[in-house]
Amino acid sequence: MFRIWIYLSIKNFYLALISFGKNLEKIRFIKNYIQKQSKKNNVFLFSQCRVGFLFLLNFLIEKNKNKKNEVIICAYNLPEMVNIAVNLKLKVKFCDLDHQTGIIDLAEVKRKVSKKTLAIVMTNMFNNYNVAKQVKSISKKNNIPLIEDNAIYFDNFSNVRNKKYFSGSLGDYSIYSFNIMKNISALYGGALSTNDKNFNNFYIKQEKKLKNFPKLSLLKQILIFFILKIMSVNKLYKYFFNYIIRFAHKYKIKFLLELFYPSLKSINKKFPKYYFSKISPISINATYFQLKEKDKNISFKIRKKNHKLYSKILGKNKNKNFSLLLKTDENYQNFLDFPILVKKKEKLNNFLLNKGVEVRLKHYYNCSKMFNKKVINKVAERYERELICLPVHRKITPSYVNFVSKKIKQFYEQS
């Protein structure tokens, strides 16, 4: 079964394509939705999450009177996000992870806070609500803005005394992604929420300079959308695409692997022109129709159910060759995939591919190694080397979870 699930349905894509007019109403609905979840008054839409991050850092640099130039960020991260800070001539101070949970090391965050710290970036990747609150406490105590990267946690929440606290509600600034493989999939798109009125004044001036989103980039993404949708058809995947994926992995076919793993693409050190463009009307429409779906929570519930089942089956086996991340909050830590640390990663991947099982081989990267070779973050390096992600999307059945778990155990018993 294909591990990638595009949450944008063909129906909603068609509606996004043919819907004209009432853009202000749709934008208002999207903004109100994010305002309620993030507990913030101001929401801004961007062509991508990273573009919102770019404008936010520019704003913080501009309003900074004390020449602060350091940004604290988790070493295990998406290189494109780190590249934005580096490109803006900011000094990135990397923090390692806790090896058992994958959560940013709080002790390191405290140590790396200084008078030069411009912002702390908290990436919602494996963290739980309690740890997120502690990062918030560190930023508040030191009067440092907290940027909450909520790209892959959208709709995740924690129940505290029967009240929901959504991811994205803790940051002074929270950024969101609606790119093609996210749980709100609008081909391209992102958002930023904040209570800072000064950012509103800053962005009004900047927005006037933005061009319309490039049609060619959008057309390429639409083509990828249809390719991935076709690949998710079970029979086509089983009898055709599975062999293509195996072939791509075996012979390292770059353009095919980049289709399944966009993060494999080389980083463009200079900012692409489409960074300075508005969110497209199609992306606005696609976001709107997905947020309005009555059964949107079904995917959330299925993911949570599959996470529980993987944990139950794989957690029983005390095998030194693989280990699960410790989780404490099934709603807040309802990841888009099920993470697991494994030995002999490449060999396991080849074994699973031969059994018709595709996993996410690449997640994030040890960015400290990429951007600052003097800094060693051992846990981030281990995560890049060992972490794979098992599929949990709405087409993944309990029998398939059992099958995948059985094959992982089988590999280590035979090796």
Side-chain angles (χ1 to χ4, degrees):
M1 191 175 292
F2 195 36
R3 69 167 181 87
I4 296 174
W5 175 255
I6 304 299
Y7 286 85
L8 177 62
S9 65
I10 296 293
K11 176 188 172 183
N12 281 334
F13 170 77
Y14 175 71
L15 290 173
L17 207 60
I18 66 167
S19 294
F20 299 99
K22 296 185 179 180
N23 258 20
L24 289 177
E25 285 184 27
K26 293 168 187 170
I27 291 171
R28 195 178 299 118
F29 178 87
I30 295 167
K31 288 185 175 182
N32 285 340
Y33 193 103
I34 296 172
Q35 282 170 349
K36 288 176 183 177
Q37 282 202 359
S38 67
K39 296 182 180 179
K40 296 180 181 66
N41 298 321
N42 303 305
V43 175
F44 309 86
L45 300 182
F46 295 91
S47 57
Q48 282 187 289
C49 173
R50 65 191 66 165
V51 176
F53 186 52
L54 167 61
F55 279 98
L56 174 55
L57 288 183
N58 268 324
F59 163 70
L60 293 176
I61 291 168
E62 185 177 293
K63 81 165 192 174
N64 166 33
K65 296 178 182 178
N66 299 317
K67 296 184 178 180
K68 296 180 179 181
N69 67 340
E70 295 178 355
V71 174
I72 296 173
I73 194 167
C74 183
Y76 188 64
N77 222 304
L78 189 67
E80 285 82 0
M81 294 294 284
V82 176
N83 184 57
I84 287 170
V86 171
N87 212 320
L88 293 176
K89 310 300 181 187
L90 293 170
K91 182 179 179 182
V92 179
K93 299 186 85 173
F94 292 105
C95 292
D96 214 344
L97 309 169
D98 178 283
H99 74 282
Q100 292 184 313
T101 63
I103 294 168
I104 193 168
D105 189 321
L106 290 170
E108 278 204 35
V109 176
K110 290 177 183 177
R111 281 199 305 270
K112 294 191 176 180
V113 165
S114 74
K115 292 180 180 179
K116 293 184 178 181
T117 306
L118 181 71
I120 297 172
V121 182
M122 177 176 66
T123 305
N124 286 337
M125 177 172 46
F126 302 124
N127 57 296
N128 59 42
Y129 183 68
N130 288 329
V131 168
K133 282 204 301 182
Q134 291 180 64
V135 177
K136 172 66 176 177
S137 179
I138 295 168
S139 73
K140 191 174 181 180
K141 181 181 178 181
N142 292 279
N143 196 28
I144 297 168
L146 176 64
I147 301 170
E148 189 172 358
D149 182 350
N150 204 42
I152 56 176
Y153 260 37
F154 191 85
D155 270 345
N156 289 11
F157 63 89
S158 187
N159 266 319
V160 182
R161 292 187 289 275
N162 295 320
K163 189 174 181 181
K164 283 184 179 181
Y165 291 87
F166 283 91
S167 57
S169 63
L170 290 169
D172 298 294
Y173 309 91
S174 296
I175 50 178
Y176 301 83
S177 176
F178 308 136
N179 272 19
I180 190 167
M181 293 184 189
K182 301 298 192 297
N183 49 359
I184 296 294
S185 173
L187 304 176
Y188 282 107
L192 180 150
S193 66
T194 183
N195 284 323
D196 189 342
K197 293 179 181 178
N198 292 322
F199 181 81
N200 183 53
N201 299 330
F202 167 83
Y203 187 62
I204 286 172
K205 295 176 185 177
Q206 300 298 319
E207 191 177 23
K208 293 175 183 177
K209 304 174 187 176
L210 300 181
K211 298 178 180 179
N212 291 330
F213 194 83
K215 292 179 181 178
L216 183 60
S217 296
L218 196 58
L219 285 171
K220 286 180 180 176
Q221 198 77 322
I222 289 171
L223 177 61
I224 291 171
F225 166 77
F226 277 108
I227 291 171
L228 295 176
K229 277 291 184 184
I230 293 168
M231 290 179 74
S232 68
V233 176
N234 283 349
K235 287 187 177 179
L236 287 175
Y237 176 79
K238 183 177 180 180
Y239 295 110
F240 180 67
F241 290 114
N242 176 44
Y243 298 97
I244 298 293
I245 292 169
R246 284 165 58 185
F247 180 82
H249 278 277
K250 184 176 180 179
Y251 296 102
K252 310 293 182 187
I253 311 298
K254 188 177 179 183
F255 81 93
L256 285 174
L257 291 174
E258 286 178 355
L259 179 65
F260 318 132
Y261 300 102
S263 62
L264 285 176
K265 294 177 182 177
S266 300
I267 302 170
N268 190 342
K269 296 291 184 180
K270 294 182 180 179
F271 296 139
K273 289 182 179 179
Y274 68 83
Y275 273 23
F276 304 97
S277 58
K278 301 173 186 177
I279 186 172
S280 75
I282 290 176
S283 293
I284 291 170
N285 290 340
T287 304
Y288 170 78
F289 287 119
Q290 284 173 92
L291 291 179
K292 287 209 70 168
E293 275 190 337
K294 292 180 180 178
D295 67 344
K296 187 166 65 70
N297 288 332
I298 290 176
S299 291
F300 184 93
K301 291 175 181 177
I302 292 172
R303 284 206 315 268
K304 187 165 72 169
K305 185 179 177 181
N306 285 331
H307 272 286
K308 281 184 177 180
L309 190 53
Y310 275 125
S311 295
K312 183 180 178 181
I313 299 169
L314 293 172
K316 286 180 181 178
N317 195 340
K318 302 297 179 183
N319 194 311
K320 293 180 180 180
N321 289 299
F322 65 84
S323 58
L324 309 184
L325 275 60
L326 295 180
K327 290 172 59 179
T328 58
D329 192 332
E330 62 184 14
N331 293 308
Y332 203 82
Q333 296 174 295
N334 192 2
F335 315 134
L336 296 181
D337 304 286
F338 184 84
I340 175 173
L341 294 166
V342 299
K343 304 293 184 184
K344 305 175 185 177
K345 179 174 169 177
E346 293 287 344
K347 289 183 178 179
L348 172 63
N349 184 58
N350 291 333
F351 174 83
L352 292 175
L353 284 172
N354 288 329
K355 302 297 180 182
V357 175
E358 191 203 0
V359 301
R360 183 175 181 176
L361 191 63
K362 299 286 185 183
H363 193 264
Y364 284 172
Y365 296 82
N366 179 13
C367 290
S368 62
K369 182 177 67 176
M370 298 174 71
F371 291 94
N372 187 351
K373 294 181 180 179
K374 294 179 182 179
V375 179
I376 298 173
N377 286 281
K378 291 182 179 179
V379 182
E381 183 64 20
R382 180 189 171 191
Y383 270 55
E384 180 181 332
R385 188 175 63 249
E386 296 183 5
L387 191 127
I388 64 169
C389 296
L390 311 180
V392 294
H393 59 71
R394 64 190 300 167
K395 287 186 77 174
I396 301 298
T397 61
S399 61
Y400 189 74
V401 171
N402 273 286
F403 177 75
V404 174
S405 302
K406 181 181 177 181
K407 292 304 169 188
I408 291 173
K409 289 180 181 180
Q410 183 184 338
F411 171 76
Y412 289 113
E413 285 169 0
Q414 293 175 356
S415 60

